[in-house]
């Protein structure tokens, strides 16, 4: 059975990608940022996930104002780096995991979260920068396949923090009903506080960011009640990217260990935050997933029925 073994939160900033691509990582300004991810890269190299689910936002690279899905799941075999105005970044093409992605789409949609299925998509700094921060700069290939989950946080109305948190829980149910033994790490990316334009451009609110990280670790339900206006007021217009961290947190166990945290200000216009939250349960599959669910019985039986049909499809495929 597949398992989500940890959640990783990480900011994305295009200038971090540019610093990597232009050999500026040793400059003091950037060294301060990159040094905060050294231990994380070691953790990731030791953890060796089989698959990463990367919750991120597209910045008008794959989508535009013409069409913006709220939640879009990348089901393709590969996702090339997007040209964000200065040519595609010199990073490897991101390889997908179409079988697990299709399973997640089926499980989550039958669980009544209406994801958009995306079979062709380029990925921008929202996905590639956190990948670099955690996996380094591989020349030819990323160390594991990736399932991108793009979230609309660029055009009103973005999803609520609560919806994101509940989607995380649905993702976990999806992963844990996949029959193959896979270690999965889920990323929540974006943020922390920043505002790029307008009279409040340059806004950073470290106090609010740090309290967000504390609650993410210990009391995520409190975060699910934060309205959009509070993100805007306290964390700046682009601070709304932080709702994506709640998808990651919902996908993790209620209890678990915070094994690492880093915070620095600024990188470009942005407060950079990073956290690693391991799951309490080991990846040995000792616990019955459905048995511990806190959902109502109607939800449980709907999901059980959906899962039964998923298993039927999965075992048919094996014959
Ligand atoms: C910056 C931050 C972002 O999240 C982004 O998408 C673009 C720019 C910045 O800090 O400059
Ligand atoms: Fe952004």
């Amino acid at each position: 059975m597949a398992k989500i073994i940890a959640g990783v939160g990480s900011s994305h900033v295009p200038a971090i990608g540019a610093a990597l691509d232009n050999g500026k990582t040793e400059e003091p300004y950037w060294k301060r940022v990159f040094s905060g991810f050294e231990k994380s890269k070691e953790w990731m190299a030791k953890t060796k996930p089989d698959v990463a689910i990367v919750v991120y936002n597209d910045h008008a690279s794959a989508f535009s104002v013409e069409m913006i899905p709220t939640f879009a799941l990348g089901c393709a075999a590969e996702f090339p780096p997007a040209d964000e105005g200065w040519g595609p970044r010199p990073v490897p093409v991101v390889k997908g995991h179409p079988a697990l992605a299709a399973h997640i789409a089926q499980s989550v949609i039958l669980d009544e979260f209406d994801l958009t299925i995306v079979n062709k998509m380029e990925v921008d700094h929202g996905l590639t920068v956190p990948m670099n921060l955690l996996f380094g700069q591989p020349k030819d290939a990323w160390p594991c396949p990736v399932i991108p989950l793009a979230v609309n946080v660029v055009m009103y109305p973005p999803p609520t923090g609560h919806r994101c948190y509940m989607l995380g829980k649905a993702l976990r149910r999806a992963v844990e009903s996949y029959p193959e033994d896979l270690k999965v790490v889920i990323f929540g990316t974006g943020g922390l506080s920043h505002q790029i334009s307008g009279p409040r451009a340059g806004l950073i609110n470290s106090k609010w960011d740090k309290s967000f990280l504390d609650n993410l670790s210990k009391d995520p339900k409190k975060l699910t009640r934060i309205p959009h206006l509070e993100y805007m007021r306290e964390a700046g217009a682009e601070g709304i990217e932080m709702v994506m961290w709640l998808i990651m947190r919902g996908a993790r166990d209620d209890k678990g260990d915070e094994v690492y945290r880093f915070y620095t200000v600024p990188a470009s216009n942005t407060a950079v935050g990073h956290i690693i939250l391991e799951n309490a349960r080991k990846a040995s599959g000792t616990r019955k997933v459905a048995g511990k669910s806190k959902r109502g019985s109607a939800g449980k039986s709907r999901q059980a029925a959906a899962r039964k049909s998923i298993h039927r499809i999965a075992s048919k495929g094996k014959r």
Side-chain angles (χ1 to χ4, degrees):
M1 200 170 69
K3 282 248 172 264
I4 292 187
I5 55 167
V8 173
S10 166
S11 299
H12 68 232
V13 182
I16 293 180
L20 282 162
D21 301 344
N22 298 308
K24 294 190 175 167
T25 53
E26 290 302 312
E27 289 181 5
Y29 181 94
W30 291 112
K31 206 171 165 74
R32 170 181 49 86
V33 175
F34 290 110
S35 63
F37 290 83
E38 285 308 317
K39 285 214 161 61
S40 321
K41 283 194 285 185
E42 283 169 25
W43 175 88
M44 192 59 97
K46 243 198 267 159
T47 302
K48 287 195 182 55
D50 299 305
V51 185
I53 298 173
V54 180
V55 180
Y56 79 107
N57 72 288
D58 177 75
H59 301 75
S61 304
F63 308 115
S64 73
V65 288
E66 289 176 6
M67 198 186 319
I68 305 187
T70 303
F71 297 116
L73 188 72
C75 297
E78 57 179 43
F79 307 92
D83 181 349
E84 298 181 59
W86 43 89
R89 289 195 59 215
V91 293
V93 167
V94 174
K95 299 288 181 190
H97 195 303
L100 178 57
H103 171 86
I104 290 174
Q106 180 173 241
S107 173
V108 170
I109 291 168
L110 294 182
D111 210 0
E112 302 183 345
F113 285 84
D114 308 319
L115 303 180
T116 298
I117 294 165
V118 182
N119 292 318
K120 188 173 183 206
M121 181 166 70
E122 294 182 348
V123 287
D124 70 13
H125 73 270
L127 184 134
T128 58
V129 164
M131 293 270 293
N132 281 135
L133 290 172
L134 274 297
F135 292 112
Q137 277 175 291
K139 267 212 176 86
D140 302 319
W142 297 104
C144 68
V146 171
I147 299 176
L149 174 61
V151 180
N152 168 35
V153 288
V154 298
M155 181 178 245
Y156 188 81
T160 62
H162 180 254
R163 187 64 173 161
C164 288
Y165 187 67
M166 297 312 284
L167 173 60
K169 291 190 176 293
L171 280 173
R172 184 167 107 191
R173 290 192 288 275
V175 168
E176 293 189 343
S177 61
Y178 190 69
E180 196 182 333
D181 277 335
L182 293 175
K183 286 192 289 180
V184 179
V185 166
I186 181 163
F187 285 54
T189 66
L192 297 182
S193 58
H194 62 303
Q195 172 143 346
I196 293 170
S197 59
R200 296 203 309 158
L203 177 145
I204 281 179
N205 185 345
S206 297
K207 195 169 165 224
W208 201 83
D209 287 338
K210 286 177 181 169
S211 139
F212 185 91
L213 291 174
D214 287 344
N215 284 322
L216 191 79
S217 200
K218 298 209 172 67
D219 191 5
K221 286 205 181 109
K222 196 167 173 185
L223 298 181
T224 66
R225 295 190 286 271
I226 297 176
H228 289 335
L229 273 179
E230 186 176 330
Y231 283 98
M232 297 281 283
R233 189 179 64 235
E234 300 296 332
E238 278 73 33
I240 191 64
E241 289 178 348
M242 291 158 84
V243 291
M244 295 186 288
W245 291 46
L246 290 175
I247 298 181
M248 172 274 277
R249 187 61 180 84
R252 213 208 61 166
D253 280 354
D254 290 343
K255 291 206 168 60
D257 299 318
E258 176 179 331
V259 295
Y260 186 66
R261 191 193 292 201
F262 173 64
Y263 183 83
T264 190
V265 170
S268 190
N269 300 290
T270 306
V272 169
H274 170 44
I275 203 163
I276 301 179
L277 300 166
E278 279 184 355
N279 259 345
R281 289 173 294 123
K282 299 287 171 234
S284 54
T286 49
R287 168 182 168 274
K288 266 198 214 147
V289 179
K292 281 221 176 158
S293 167
K294 284 198 181 133
R295 307 164 74 227
S297 56
K300 261 188 207 165
S301 55
R302 236 189 350 256
Q303 176 63 8
R307 205 175 282 137
K308 252 189 200 163
S309 71
I310 291 167
H311 280 139
R312 269 202 300 275
I313 291 163
S315 49
K316 256 190 199 166
K318 279 197 174 159
R319 267 181 231 143

